[in-house]
Amino acid sequence: AIYILKEYQDRGIGTLLVKELSKAMSESGFRSMIVLVLDENPAKYFYEALGGKLIDYDEITIGGKPLKERVYGWGNLKNLLEKIS
């Protein structure tokens, strides 16, 4: 999970973290990636802006409360890296 304090958001930190993670994964032989984001979390728009495609929904329970998650995916990490480089 990536959590960036509100006062540090919109500074490119999240993009840099995703870039470094994607680069490391690609160098390790991974070709694709998924992330799960709570449906209520506005960070879902961050992943959409990075080209993540909504591929599924999931449900988890936290503190006895059912929560909906969105599953975003990138079929080709090289395309993601080109987009954010």
Side-chain angles (χ1 to χ4, degrees):
I2 298 174
Y3 294 98
I4 298 173
L5 295 172
K6 184 73 171 168
E7 59 266 26
Y8 293 99
Q9 293 177 9
D10 298 319
R11 296 184 184 188
I13 296 169
T15 301
L16 181 61
L17 289 169
V18 170
K19 178 181 177 180
E20 292 303 316
L21 173 64
S22 301
K23 184 177 172 185
M25 289 177 64
S26 184
E27 290 171 354
S28 296
F30 291 92
R31 295 177 290 184
S32 59
M33 176 174 78
I34 64 168
V35 297
L36 285 78
V37 183
L38 290 174
D39 192 49
E40 298 174 2
N41 187 340
K44 62 189 171 195
Y45 303 115
F46 167 76
Y47 294 108
E48 290 173 4
L50 292 180
K53 303 295 181 208
L54 180 61
I55 56 175
D56 203 357
Y57 288 94
D58 196 12
E59 190 171 289
I60 61 170
T61 302
I62 298 177
K65 179 181 175 186
L67 300 168
K68 191 174 185 180
E69 287 185 311
R70 292 174 174 233
V71 181
Y72 289 100
W74 291 265
N76 187 330
L77 285 176
K78 290 183 182 187
N79 290 344
L80 172 58
L81 284 166
E82 288 174 7
K83 182 176 184 71
I84 58 180
S85 290

